[in-house]
Amino acid sequence: MARKIIPFTQHECPGIACEASTCILQEAGEQGVKTYVQRMEDRVIQPCLFGQGGTCCRNCSFGPCMMIEDDPTSIGICGATASTVAARNFARMVAPGAAAHMDHGRETALTFLDTARGETPFEIKDEKKLHFVADLYGIKTEGRSKQDIAIELGEKCLAEFGQQEGTLVMSTRAPAKRQALWKKLGVLPRGVDREVVELMHRTHMGTDQDYHNLIFQSTRCALADGWGASMIATELQDILFGTPVPLRTVVNLGVLREDHVNIVIHGHEPQVPEAMAMVAQEPEIVAAAQEVGAKGINLAGVCCSGNEVLMRRGIPIAGGFIQQEVVLATGAVEAMVVDVQCVMQGLSGVAKCYHTELITTSPRAKIPGATHIEFHHQHALETARDLTLRAIGRFKDRGKVHIPDQKMDVVAGFSHETINHMLGGTFRGSYRPLNDNIINGRIRGVGAVVGCDSCRVESGKVHTTVVRELIANNVLVLVTGCAATACGRDGLLRPEAAELAGPGLKEVCETVGMPPVLHMGSCVDNSRILIAATAIVKEGGLGDDISQVPAAGCAPEWMSEKAIAIGQYCVASGFYVVFGRTFPTTGSKVLTDYLFREIQEEYGGMWAVEEDPTEMARMMIRHIEKAREALGIQEEKDRVLFDMAMRRDM
Ligand code: NFS
Ligand code: SF4
C-alpha cells in the first residue's frame, strides 16, 4: 500500500511544536512511523458537535441521548436537559482531573512517610520547609528529630485523603476573606477522596439534576485538588527532594546526546525520575555505559516528570506533551520510562519502530506492547539501576540517529520561596517589592499561563503569542507544565527575554536579573501560583482577596481533564480564567452563561474561552486593568500606552 507522505511545515500542519519537531516528524512519516500527525490525518470520523459541546449523555442504556438546548424534542428519555447533561459531563472532567492530582498527592505522602521511617533511599532535604508545613498542621516541632516530625506530618497528610468531615489544612492558607466566602457557600472540601466519590455519585443517572448543584460539587472537588492534594504534593515533594531555586538548563530535542545512552523519563510523579537521577552517575553504571561504547548516561525529561527534575536538578527537558513521540523518532532514545498521566498509547507503536524500550512503572498504568517493571519507592535505587542497565543494553541496537540541533537555554526553579527571596532580598523574604511595582504600575499585573500543548492548534505558538503579548504590556508571567516547556523552547525563560517586555517590567527584570516569565514547575505546582497570589494579598495594598489582585490565568492549549479541574479551582479561588479554542459546555447556553458570567457574583472569578491568542492576552489585560481601576491604582496607564506607541514607532 502506498504510504501518504505528509508535506507539512509547522504552518501547514498545526500541532507540531517547533522546527526541530517538524523535520523529525517528516522523516518519521517517510519511514512509515505512525505518530499523532498521521493519526490525525488518518481519522475519518471528525469530532461530533454534541460531544464537543458537552450535550451527549450515555449515562444509561436508554441513550446515548443528544441534546439541543432550545428544542423540546431533544431532551433525554429520562427528561434530562442540556444544562444538566453538560454539567454532568463537566463534572466528569473535574472528577478524573482532580483524581489524577489526588492520587499523585497520595503517592507522594506514602513515599514521604516511608522515607521518614527510613524505608526508602530518599531523605528529608528541606528541613526549613518541613518545620513550616508541620506548623500548619499543628505539629509540635521543638526538640523533635526531623524523622519524628516527618512521620507525624506524613500521617496527617495521608489521613486527609480518607477524611470524611472537617476541612483540609492547606485550605486554611487562603486569604481570610476567601476562606470565609467558601465557608458561606458551603464549598470547603471535607476530605480529598470523598469529594471525587460524591461528584461521581451525583453524575449517576437520576441523581443530581440541577446544573448549579452539580457545579457546586465540582467546585468542592476541584478545591480538594488545588487547596488540598496538589498542594500536599508540591509541599511534601519540596521537603523530600528539595525546594527549587533558580538554575540554568536547556530544553528541546537537541538535549539528547549522540554519544550517550539516552533515557527519557515521562509522566508525572517525581519518584522514578529522582531515583534515575540518583543512579545515573554511579561509577558502575557509567562503566557499564562505557563498555557498550557510550560516554555515559544522559537523562532527559518529557511532560511534568521532566518539569519536576528540571526544577530541582536542572535535568534538561527533551519535549513537552506533544513532542513525546517526536523524542522517540530521533532514534536516539534507548529507553523511555513512564509512570502516570499524559502518556500517549501511540508511544508503544513508535518505540517498536526503533531500538527503544518503552517501560511502564506504575501498577496504575500499563500499555500493551510496553515492558512493565514495577517501581516501589522502598527499592527505588535497585529498580532505577535495573532500568538504566536495560537502557544501556539497547545502545548497541541503535539504527540511524537524527538529533536536531535545536535546544534553548532556560532559567527555571521559581518556587514561591524563591520569588519571595529574589524580590525581597536574602535577609528577609517579602512580596513587598512586587506589590509596590504593581501599585506603581511598572508591572501592570500577573498572568499565569499554564497547561498542555495541543495538536489542534499551532502548538507552542499559541502559548508564546499569549506570553509575548502579556509581557509586552508589562504583565509578569508565571508558567507551569507544558506551557512552560513551550516558553522555554521559544527563549522566553531567559533573563534576556526582558528585551521583549514593556519598559516597566523590563526595568524590574533587569534590576533583579530575572526573566519576565517565571517557570514555577509542574501542573501540581499550580498550587505555587495559589500561594503566590495569596502572598500578594497578604503583603497588602492590592485588596484583601485573590479576586481583587490584578491577575488572570489561561490555558491556551489545554487538552486534559486535569486542566478543567485546575481551571475550576482557580475560578473558585477568584481568578479570571481563559481557555483556548474550545470549552466543554458550549452545547448548553444556560450552563455556559453561568460559568462565564453569573459564577463571578458568587466566587469573584469566572471562565472565558477564546481561540485567538492575541485576543486571549488582551482579555487578560483588560481584566487586569479593570482590577487596577477598582483598586484605584490606574494612573500609570497613560504611560504604558505611550510606551506601546513608542515601541511601535521603533
Ligand atoms: Ni499538565 Fe503535566 Fe502537560 Fe497538560 Fe499533561 S504533562 S500535568 S496535563 S499535557 S500540562
Ligand atoms: Fe438519556 Fe437520561 Fe439515560 Fe442520559 S441518563 S442516556 S439523558 S435517558
Side-chain angles (χ1 to χ4, degrees):
M1 200 178 80
R3 262 186 299 105
K4 193 163 45 172
I5 294 177
I6 300 158
F8 49 76
T9 64
Q10 202 192 342
H11 185 68
E12 282 165 31
C13 178
I16 300 180
C18 58
E19 257 165 59
S21 304
T22 309
C23 97
I24 297 296
L25 281 166
Q26 207 147 20
E27 252 176 38
E30 280 162 18
Q31 288 155 14
V33 181
K34 274 211 191 269
T35 62
Y36 69 98
V37 175
Q38 278 73 29
R39 292 194 295 272
M40 278 213 300
E41 281 274 323
D42 289 352
R43 278 197 66 81
V44 178
I45 305 172
Q46 290 306 311
C48 141
L49 289 180
F50 294 103
Q52 200 164 56
T55 54
C56 173
C57 180
R58 42 175 291 273
N59 291 11
C60 85
S61 77
F62 295 165
C65 299
M66 282 82 98
M67 320 284 166
I68 298 172
E69 193 158 53
D70 295 325
D71 176 359
T73 65
S74 300
I75 60 171
I77 294 181
C78 67
T81 58
S83 61
T84 299
V85 169
R88 275 202 302 233
N89 286 332
F90 181 83
R92 284 191 176 199
M93 294 186 88
V94 172
H101 292 145
M102 291 167 176
D103 219 34
H104 175 153
R106 178 198 335 275
E107 203 59 34
T108 303
L110 288 167
T111 305
F112 184 87
L113 191 54
D114 284 344
T115 302
R117 289 175 178 148
E119 287 161 15
T120 83
F122 304 125
E123 53 183 307
I124 308 284
K125 278 203 181 140
D126 189 340
E127 240 183 294
K128 197 169 156 205
K129 193 156 191 172
L130 171 67
H131 281 238
F132 173 77
V133 180
D135 272 349
L136 288 175
Y137 277 81
I139 295 166
K140 195 175 139 283
T141 51
E142 229 185 86
R144 295 179 74 186
S145 72
K146 65 175 178 182
Q147 282 77 13
D148 252 15
I149 301 170
I151 289 174
E152 195 177 339
L153 176 59
E155 283 170 347
K156 287 209 154 133
C157 287
L158 210 48
E160 287 195 325
F161 287 83
Q163 186 176 297
Q164 303 305 320
E165 292 297 339
T167 49
L168 302 176
V169 169
M170 290 296 182
S171 70
T172 62
R173 298 172 78 180
K177 199 170 167 189
R178 184 62 26 188
Q179 288 182 56
L181 175 71
W182 289 337
K183 206 164 175 187
K184 190 184 108 204
L185 295 171
V187 82
L188 271 168
R190 299 154 293 187
V192 174
D193 297 349
R194 177 173 181 183
E195 305 306 350
V196 179
V197 173
E198 184 172 323
L199 186 55
M200 288 307 287
H201 173 198
R202 287 186 188 217
T203 68
H204 187 276
M205 196 274 169
T207 308
D208 200 352
Q209 289 159 118
D210 174 86
Y211 75 84
H212 189 273
N213 210 37
L214 280 157
I215 299 301
F216 164 82
Q217 181 57 20
S218 302
T219 303
R220 184 152 55 178
C221 178
L223 287 174
D225 170 356
W227 292 92
S230 276
M231 208 171 276
I232 289 175
T234 297
E235 303 299 43
L236 296 189
Q237 284 168 188
D238 279 358
I239 298 171
L240 261 187
F241 304 124
T243 302
V245 293
L247 44 78
R248 268 184 186 278
T249 179
V250 276
V251 302
N252 212 353
L253 299 167
V255 308
L256 298 172
R257 296 166 79 167
E258 186 134 19
D259 53 5
H260 278 64
V261 172
N262 290 303
I263 305 177
V264 174
I265 34 201
H266 174 19
H268 282 78
E269 296 171 353
Q271 288 86 330
V272 177
E274 281 286 335
M276 299 290 290
M278 284 164 79
V279 305
Q281 304 312 329
E282 286 179 351
E284 305 80 54
I285 294 283
V286 176
Q290 284 164 348
E291 229 161 86
V292 298
K295 286 204 174 129
I297 306 293
N298 181 42
L299 276 185
V302 162
C303 280
C304 285
S305 293
N307 279 320
E308 295 286 357
V309 280
L310 171 104
M311 290 286 283
R312 299 196 178 88
R313 290 178 176 266
I315 287 174
I317 286 199
F321 169 76
I322 210 65
Q323 289 173 292
Q324 56 187 283
E325 292 171 306
V326 189
V327 169
L328 298 194
T330 59
V333 178
E334 275 61 50
M336 180 179 254
V337 180
V338 305
D339 58 3
V340 289
Q341 303 164 30
C342 303
V343 178
M344 287 191 187
Q345 187 168 350
L347 283 171
S348 168
V350 176
K352 290 217 153 46
C353 300
Y354 303 91
H355 69 304
T356 312
E357 183 167 32
L358 177 68
I359 306 170
T360 52
T361 55
S362 167
R364 295 159 294 173
K366 296 188 180 181
I367 299 177
T371 310
H372 188 71
I373 297 178
E374 219 151 281
F375 178 91
H376 297 279
H377 51 242
Q378 292 87 344
H379 314 289
L381 298 187
E382 292 87 324
T383 311
R385 279 183 206 114
D386 181 23
L387 293 167
T388 309
L389 290 171
R390 292 182 79 95
I392 292 170
R394 294 267 171 146
F395 186 75
K396 59 176 191 319
D397 303 327
R398 256 193 203 179
K400 195 171 142 261
V401 167
H402 178 186
I403 301 173
D405 295 332
Q406 283 92 335
K407 58 180 169 189
M408 182 57 83
D409 290 328
V410 301
V411 177
F414 295 96
S415 53
H416 150 70
E417 291 78 1
T418 291
I419 296 178
N420 207 25
H421 273 309
M422 184 177 64
L423 292 164
T426 42
F427 179 61
R428 205 164 119 229
S430 154
Y431 271 60
R432 193 70 253 158
L434 176 62
N435 280 34
D436 285 344
N437 279 316
I438 295 176
I439 293 165
N440 69 29
R442 252 184 225 112
I443 296 177
R444 303 303 294 172
V446 180
V449 181
V450 308
C452 327
D453 38 14
S454 166
C455 65
R456 297 279 187 197
V457 296
E458 251 188 283
S459 181
K461 191 77 184 294
V462 179
H463 285 131
T464 57
T465 309
V466 174
V467 169
R468 281 165 179 266
E469 186 69 20
L470 289 174
I471 61 174
N473 284 280
N474 297 300
V475 174
L476 175 68
V477 174
L478 310 177
V479 289
T480 57
C482 296
T485 306
C487 291
R489 284 197 300 268
D490 195 38
L492 295 170
L493 302 185
R494 299 171 303 161
E496 299 90 302
E499 282 307 316
L500 301 166
L505 177 59
K506 182 174 173 217
E507 189 187 325
V508 175
C509 289
E510 283 173 353
T511 312
V512 183
M514 68 179 193
V517 184
L518 305 180
H519 190 340
M520 293 192 83
S522 64
C523 289
V524 293
D525 293 339
N526 283 323
S527 63
R528 298 191 202 275
I529 297 180
L530 298 178
I531 294 300
T534 304
I536 292 175
V537 171
K538 292 191 173 160
E539 192 57 56
L542 291 169
D544 51 11
D545 180 41
I546 294 174
S547 61
Q548 287 171 273
V549 175
C554 69
E557 302 188 18
W558 79 278
M559 63 88 200
S560 78
E561 292 159 321
K562 286 178 284 177
I564 293 291
I566 293 166
Q568 188 62 20
Y569 74 61
C570 286
V571 167
S573 302
F575 283 102
Y576 175 59
V577 176
V578 194
F579 266 36
R581 205 178 75 94
T582 58
F583 197 78
T585 66
T586 48
S588 165
K589 190 173 173 314
V590 174
L591 177 61
T592 308
D593 278 350
Y594 171 65
L595 293 172
F596 284 24
R597 267 179 288 282
E598 293 144 32
I599 199 168
Q600 194 185 18
E601 286 156 33
E602 293 169 67
Y603 291 95
M606 61 177 170
W607 288 93
V609 65
E610 173 55 50
E611 186 153 12
D612 176 54
T614 309
E615 180 52 26
M616 198 184 296
R618 296 219 172 109
M619 287 160 75
M620 294 167 76
I621 293 165
R622 280 198 292 275
H623 179 83
I624 286 171
E625 293 300 337
K626 238 170 69 192
R628 296 186 65 88
E629 212 176 291
L631 289 166
I633 52 169
Q634 191 55 1
E635 310 73 60
E636 288 282 310
K637 195 177 178 205
D638 288 347
R639 182 187 144 201
V640 172
L641 286 179
F642 176 66
D643 286 331
M644 284 298 293
M646 254 174 37
R647 272 178 335 130
R648 268 195 298 272
D649 288 342
M650 268 157 41

